[in-house]
């Protein structure tokens, strides 16, 4: 009887040892209570009120040499000094791209030294260049007199050129003006020297 009890006790201890030996790692209750790691997500922000609005580019103002109604220039051509006045009989707010835009000018010269020789304007021309566009055909006034128009003060020259249509969207035009003079070498001479003066004006286009 004792031998059977010892055998039963030994079998119970062996079974318990086998159970414990078969358990690898943490106990089930430890694993069950281990917290699951959480991932925090940083908030993202869209284009809300806190963001600054993108900067808006302001177009640069257009230079207008006729904004006061006229423009006066003094041009040097060798010994000749030309005093020129430009203006338009059309109001500048009507200088639209499609309109015919008149540009008038008046010119008179002096010469140093003034020994009594004549100064003559042989040709006046104007080239219109729209901003960002191609130049329009050159307009010119060529004298029908043999040596040109006498422009030595108190004599003067006046002319009006018409600027035609320019492309839509043009903000300004540049007016390139050229004057070609013949200067008498002496008061009684039949020989002449040629002198040239150039000028440039910028006029805004309305609309």
């Amino acid at each position: 009887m004792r031998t059977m009890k010892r055998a039963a006790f030994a079998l119970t201890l062996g079974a318990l040892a086998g159970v414990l030996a078969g358990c690898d790692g943490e106990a089930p209750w430890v694993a069950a209570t281990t917290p699951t790691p959480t991932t925090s997500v940083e908030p993202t922000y869209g284009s809300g009120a806190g963001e600054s609005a993108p900067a808006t580019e302001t177009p640069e103002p257009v230079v207008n040499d006729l904004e006061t109604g006229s423009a006066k220039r003094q041009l040097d051509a060798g010994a000749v000094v030309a005093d020129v006045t430009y203006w338009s009989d059309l109001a500048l707010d009507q200088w639209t791209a499609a309109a015919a835009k008149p540009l008038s000018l008046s010119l008179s010269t002096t010469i140093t030294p003034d020994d009594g020789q004549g100064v003559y304007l042989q040709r006046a021309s104007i080239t219109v260049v729209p901003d960002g566009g191609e130049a329009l055909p050159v307009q010119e006034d060529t004298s029908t007199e043999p040596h040109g128009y006498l422009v030595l003060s108190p004599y003067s020259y006046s002319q009006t050129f018409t600027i035609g249509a320019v492309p839509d969207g043009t903000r300004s035009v540049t007016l390139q003006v050229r004057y070609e003079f013949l200067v008498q070498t002496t008061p009684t001479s039949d020989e002449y020297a040629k002198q040239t003066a150039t000028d440039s004006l910028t006029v805004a286009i309305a609309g």
Side-chain angles (χ1 to χ4, degrees):
M1 180 66 75
R2 288 181 180 176
T3 301
M4 292 180 63
K5 288 182 178 181
R6 289 195 187 103
F9 181 74
L11 181 59
T12 302
L13 289 178
L16 180 59
V19 172
L20 293 176
C23 294
D24 295 329
E26 295 180 338
W29 55 86
V30 175
T33 57
T34 302
T36 302
T38 58
T39 304
S40 60
V41 179
E42 293 293 332
T44 57
Y45 300 93
S47 54
E51 289 188 347
S52 58
T56 302
E57 293 185 4
T58 303
E60 294 184 4
V62 176
V63 176
N64 192 342
D65 289 324
L66 294 181
E67 63 182 350
T68 61
S70 64
K72 294 185 177 182
R73 301 290 174 81
Q74 195 170 76
L75 311 175
D76 294 331
V80 176
V81 175
D83 292 301
V84 189
T85 300
Y86 303 94
W87 73 95
S88 179
D89 292 331
L90 181 68
L92 294 183
D93 61 359
Q94 297 181 39
W95 272 55
T96 60
K101 303 166 277 294
L103 177 74
S104 299
L105 63 90
S106 178
L107 174 151
S108 185
T109 67
T110 58
I111 188 171
T112 305
D114 185 354
D115 297 326
Q117 65 272 48
V119 178
Y120 302 87
L121 178 66
Q122 190 179 38
R123 181 180 292 105
S125 62
I126 181 170
T127 302
V128 180
V129 184
D131 64 315
E134 296 183 357
L136 302 184
V138 178
Q139 300 181 53
E140 64 178 33
D141 177 23
T142 302
S143 173
T144 56
E145 300 296 326
H147 305 300
Y149 305 112
L150 181 62
V151 290
L152 185 65
S153 181
Y155 299 98
S156 63
Y157 165 84
S158 297
Q159 182 60 277
T160 298
F161 294 95
T162 300
I163 300 165
V166 295
D168 290 339
T170 298
R171 299 184 63 215
S172 67
V173 290
T174 299
L175 312 178
Q176 299 173 348
V177 191
R178 180 183 177 91
Y179 304 100
E180 299 176 18
F181 301 100
L182 288 182
V183 182
Q184 196 176 19
T185 55
T186 68
T188 58
S189 176
D190 290 332
E191 295 182 342
Y192 298 83
K194 183 176 181 177
Q195 301 290 347
T196 301
T198 59
D199 200 2
S200 179
L201 296 89
T202 299
V203 184
I205 297 300

